[in-house]
mmCIF file of all heavy atoms in Angstrom:
data_model
loop_
_atom_site.group_PDB
_atom_site.id
_atom_site.type_symbol
_atom_site.label_atom_id
_atom_site.label_comp_id
_atom_site.label_asym_id
_atom_site.label_seq_id
_atom_site.Cartn_x
_atom_site.Cartn_y
_atom_site.Cartn_z
ATOM 1 N N ILE B 167 31.411 104.768 91.413
ATOM 2 C CA ILE B 167 32.583 104.291 90.676
ATOM 3 C C ILE B 167 32.396 102.832 90.286
ATOM 4 O O ILE B 167 32.660 102.431 89.146
ATOM 5 C CB ILE B 167 33.876 104.465 91.524
ATOM 6 C CG1 ILE B 167 34.206 105.947 91.675
ATOM 7 C CG2 ILE B 167 35.045 103.719 90.883
ATOM 8 C CD1 ILE B 167 35.372 106.231 92.621
ATOM 9 N N ALA B 168 31.925 102.024 91.242
ATOM 10 C CA ALA B 168 31.681 100.610 90.959
ATOM 11 C C ALA B 168 30.612 100.443 89.885
ATOM 12 O O ALA B 168 30.747 99.609 88.972
ATOM 13 C CB ALA B 168 31.266 99.886 92.245
ATOM 14 N N ASP B 169 29.542 101.249 89.974
ATOM 15 C CA ASP B 169 28.481 101.204 88.962
ATOM 16 C C ASP B 169 29.047 101.530 87.584
ATOM 17 O O ASP B 169 28.747 100.849 86.591
ATOM 18 C CB ASP B 169 27.384 102.229 89.299
ATOM 19 C CG ASP B 169 26.579 101.848 90.525
ATOM 20 O OD1 ASP B 169 26.665 100.685 90.952
ATOM 21 O OD2 ASP B 169 25.874 102.730 91.058
ATOM 22 N N TYR B 170 29.843 102.590 87.528
ATOM 23 C CA TYR B 170 30.381 103.063 86.250
ATOM 24 C C TYR B 170 31.241 101.992 85.586
ATOM 25 O O TYR B 170 31.108 101.737 84.378
ATOM 26 C CB TYR B 170 31.211 104.329 86.478
ATOM 27 C CG TYR B 170 31.731 104.961 85.201
ATOM 28 C CD1 TYR B 170 30.963 105.871 84.494
ATOM 29 C CD2 TYR B 170 32.992 104.628 84.700
ATOM 30 C CE1 TYR B 170 31.429 106.457 83.329
ATOM 31 C CE2 TYR B 170 33.471 105.200 83.529
ATOM 32 C CZ TYR B 170 32.694 106.115 82.846
ATOM 33 O OH TYR B 170 33.163 106.669 81.688
ATOM 34 N N ARG B 171 32.118 101.380 86.365
ATOM 35 C CA ARG B 171 33.017 100.369 85.788
ATOM 36 C C ARG B 171 32.240 99.144 85.316
ATOM 37 O O ARG B 171 32.605 98.513 84.326
ATOM 38 C CB ARG B 171 34.090 99.986 86.815
ATOM 39 C CG ARG B 171 35.065 101.141 87.052
ATOM 40 C CD ARG B 171 36.095 100.851 88.111
ATOM 41 N NE ARG B 171 36.968 102.011 88.309
ATOM 42 C CZ ARG B 171 37.866 102.117 89.263
ATOM 43 N NH1 ARG B 171 38.027 101.125 90.131
ATOM 44 N NH2 ARG B 171 38.613 103.202 89.375
ATOM 45 N N ARG B 172 31.163 98.844 86.003
ATOM 46 C CA ARG B 172 30.327 97.714 85.582
ATOM 47 C C ARG B 172 29.562 98.065 84.309
ATOM 48 O O ARG B 172 29.512 97.276 83.359
ATOM 49 C CB ARG B 172 29.361 97.341 86.705
ATOM 50 C CG ARG B 172 28.481 96.131 86.405
ATOM 51 C CD ARG B 172 27.686 95.707 87.627
ATOM 52 N NE ARG B 172 26.866 96.782 88.166
ATOM 53 C CZ ARG B 172 27.126 97.443 89.293
ATOM 54 N NH1 ARG B 172 28.210 97.152 90.001
ATOM 55 N NH2 ARG B 172 26.319 98.401 89.710
ATOM 56 N N MET B 173 28.967 99.247 84.269
ATOM 57 C CA MET B 173 28.187 99.662 83.099
ATOM 58 C C MET B 173 29.080 99.899 81.888
ATOM 59 O O MET B 173 28.677 99.623 80.754
ATOM 60 C CB MET B 173 27.404 100.942 83.425
ATOM 61 C CG MET B 173 26.334 100.748 84.487
ATOM 62 S SD MET B 173 25.237 102.200 84.681
ATOM 63 C CE MET B 173 26.404 103.483 85.061
ATOM 64 N N GLU B 174 30.273 100.423 82.135
ATOM 65 C CA GLU B 174 31.198 100.722 81.042
ATOM 66 C C GLU B 174 31.548 99.467 80.247
ATOM 67 O O GLU B 174 31.770 99.521 79.035
ATOM 68 C CB GLU B 174 32.468 101.356 81.611
ATOM 69 C CG GLU B 174 33.409 101.920 80.571
ATOM 70 C CD GLU B 174 34.642 102.531 81.204
ATOM 71 O OE1 GLU B 174 35.093 102.022 82.249
ATOM 72 O OE2 GLU B 174 35.162 103.527 80.663
ATOM 73 N N GLY B 175 31.547 98.335 80.944
ATOM 74 C CA GLY B 175 31.876 97.075 80.277
ATOM 75 C C GLY B 175 30.697 96.426 79.574
ATOM 76 O O GLY B 175 30.852 95.351 78.978
ATOM 77 N N ASN B 176 29.524 97.048 79.675
ATOM 78 C CA ASN B 176 28.320 96.448 79.073
ATOM 79 C C ASN B 176 27.557 97.420 78.177
ATOM 80 O O ASN B 176 26.339 97.295 78.009
ATOM 81 C CB ASN B 176 27.384 95.955 80.185
ATOM 82 C CG ASN B 176 27.953 94.793 80.950
ATOM 83 O OD1 ASN B 176 28.137 93.696 80.419
ATOM 84 N ND2 ASN B 176 28.270 95.028 82.217
ATOM 85 N N THR B 177 28.265 98.371 77.578
ATOM 86 C CA THR B 177 27.575 99.356 76.738
ATOM 87 C C THR B 177 27.037 98.745 75.446
ATOM 88 O O THR B 177 26.174 99.354 74.799
ATOM 89 C CB THR B 177 28.518 100.526 76.396
ATOM 90 O OG1 THR B 177 29.720 100.009 75.821
ATOM 91 C CG2 THR B 177 28.854 101.327 77.649
ATOM 92 N N ASP B 178 27.557 97.566 75.075
ATOM 93 C CA ASP B 178 27.000 96.912 73.888
ATOM 94 C C ASP B 178 25.589 96.401 74.159
ATOM 95 O O ASP B 178 24.756 96.303 73.250
ATOM 96 C CB ASP B 178 27.902 95.756 73.440
ATOM 97 C CG ASP B 178 28.145 94.742 74.543
ATOM 98 O OD1 ASP B 178 28.124 95.137 75.739
ATOM 99 O OD2 ASP B 178 28.378 93.566 74.226
ATOM 100 N N ILE B 179 25.308 96.111 75.426
ATOM 101 C CA ILE B 179 23.974 95.637 75.822
ATOM 102 C C ILE B 179 23.106 96.810 76.289
ATOM 103 O O ILE B 179 21.920 96.881 75.995
ATOM 104 C CB ILE B 179 24.085 94.587 76.952
ATOM 105 C CG1 ILE B 179 24.975 93.421 76.507
ATOM 106 C CG2 ILE B 179 22.700 94.082 77.362
ATOM 107 C CD1 ILE B 179 25.273 92.435 77.617
#
Side-chain angles (χ1 to χ4, degrees):
I167 291 174
D169 290 345
Y170 184 87
R171 291 177 182 172
R172 183 172 56 253
M173 294 189 303
E174 190 180 33
N176 292 294
T177 54
D178 56 331
I179 303 173

